[in-house]
Each structure stands twice: as structure tokens, then as C-alpha cells.
Amino acid sequence: MRHLLLASSSRYRQQLLSRLQLPFDSCAPDIDETRLPGENAERLVRRLAEHKARALAERYPNHLIIGSDQVAVLGQEILGKPHTFERAKRQLQLASGSSVSFLTGVALLDSGSNRIQVDCVPFTVHFRKLDEAQIERYLKIEQPFDCAGSFKAEGLGICLFRTTEGEDVTSLVGLPLIRLVDMLLNEGVELP
């Protein structure tokens, strides 16, 4: 079996990928994640997922390299990682009673042949109406400041949701495993 490499230092993506019970290494790509002028959210995550995988291709020849990137979209606004309590609070206030679309780009690069598969997997979260006290309690407990949209769906963040819709709930956490499995099967990787 070819070596599998996750082009990410995200512990969330590492935890998700480990669910496939395949051996893999991970390495953070050093790329510029700045949005290009006029670039919409889907093109952004597709480009960044591919760029992350390609950034490690020279260092890891003959590997299957997985790149992924995610953004949250509320109306026309792209929400990134908040990094601070105040920004997270503002994101959740905006999301309260609204729907937020999460777009997760995923790429699988065969660095030996330079063959690449790239896709974008959408997932929508419909938020409950949240008051300031609920938002502050949640943020103090979970501190999701490194998560697009300011919540952790795999944790207490689920309490913020009214409903969700999408084909792959793992895309919400940052690595769409169902689509990734399709890509791995296309490359001849044996999975149960």
C-alpha cells in the first residue's frame, strides 16, 4: 500500500482520518490561505485543499496526499476561524436563528503520478435562537476559537443546532470521509 499523508496539523482532521484505520502521517503545509479577489467560497476551499496537497508533493514522493480546507458561509459573508472570544461571540450572534453553510474542500493527490481528485462537500447547520448568556456559556466551556463558525459539532456545539442537512456529517468537522473514501477507492486503496 502507498503511504498516506494528511496535509494538516489539525487534530480534528487527524481524529477523523484515524477512523478509517489506515496508517498515515501528517505534516502541516506552509501555504498562503488568503482569499483571492472575487473568489467565491467553493472555489476558495477547492483551491486551498489542492494547494495544501501539492505543497508537500516534492517532500513526499509516491504518497497519497490529502488536503482539506473549510469555510462557513452566512449569507454572503465567509466566516473563518474566530481566534478570539469576542469574534466567536459575534459569529454565533450572527448565526443565531439562521442557517450557516459549511463548505469543505478535499483533495487527494497521488504525488507519484501527479493525478489529483478535488471536490467540495456542503453541509448546512440551522441554528437555534441563541441568547447572549447561552453563547457566552458555550464559548467559555468549549473555547472553539480554532473552528470555522465558532463551534465544535463533535462536542457541546451540537446543543446550538436546531437541525442539520447534508450528505456527510464528517465534512462539518473538516474532513469529508465519505467523499475521501470514494477518492481512496479510485486510487486502489483497500478499505473494508
Side-chain angles (χ1 to χ4, degrees):
M1 182 175 138
R2 285 176 289 174
H3 295 287
L4 199 58
L5 178 72
L6 178 62
S8 176
S9 60
S10 164
R11 66 182 184 273
Y12 308 114
R13 288 190 178 111
Q14 290 171 7
Q15 289 168 352
L16 282 172
L17 186 55
S18 69
R19 289 171 56 178
L20 299 183
Q21 298 184 20
L22 296 170
F24 71 93
D25 294 310
S26 60
C27 181
D30 184 22
I31 67 162
D32 179 1
E33 297 189 29
T34 304
R35 183 177 168 200
L36 300 176
E39 186 174 42
N40 71 24
E42 182 175 344
R43 280 196 293 271
L44 172 66
V45 297
R46 283 175 174 268
R47 179 179 60 83
L48 291 179
E50 180 174 349
H51 196 117
K52 287 177 179 181
R54 290 194 184 282
L56 298 174
E58 192 173 304
R59 281 177 46 199
Y60 295 91
N62 299 311
H63 280 65
L64 291 176
I65 304 175
I66 302 162
S68 188
D69 196 77
Q70 181 185 69
V71 295
V73 181
L74 177 60
Q76 297 301 311
E77 185 177 353
I78 295 178
L79 307 175
K81 296 175 184 174
H83 300 294
T84 68
F85 182 92
E86 286 306 316
R87 281 199 202 122
K89 181 177 172 181
R90 180 73 183 128
Q91 282 188 1
L92 290 178
Q93 286 171 328
L94 290 171
S96 175
S98 297
S99 298
V100 178
S101 296
F102 288 81
L103 300 176
T104 306
V106 61
L108 182 65
L109 171 68
D110 179 333
S111 61
S113 69
N114 203 34
R115 184 175 51 248
I116 192 159
Q117 302 172 68
V118 183
D119 203 356
C120 176
V121 180
F123 198 89
T124 302
V125 173
H126 305 281
F127 280 83
R128 297 178 186 281
K129 190 75 176 145
L130 306 169
D131 63 35
E132 187 171 345
Q134 287 173 304
I135 291 170
E136 289 183 1
R137 271 195 315 273
Y138 170 72
L139 292 175
K140 286 176 184 169
I141 293 168
E142 196 130 79
Q143 301 181 12
F145 309 128
D146 62 344
C147 301
S150 301
F151 67 85
K152 295 180 184 176
E154 68 280 18
L156 192 57
I158 200 77
C159 297
L160 308 176
F161 306 167
R162 184 173 42 81
T163 62
T164 63
E165 59 184 290
E167 294 180 10
D168 187 350
V169 72
T170 60
S171 67
L172 187 57
V173 182
L175 185 63
L177 291 182
I178 292 172
R179 183 62 186 109
L180 178 59
V181 166
D182 291 339
M183 293 175 170
L184 291 168
L185 291 171
N186 289 340
E187 288 296 331
V189 176
E190 291 184 7
L191 290 153

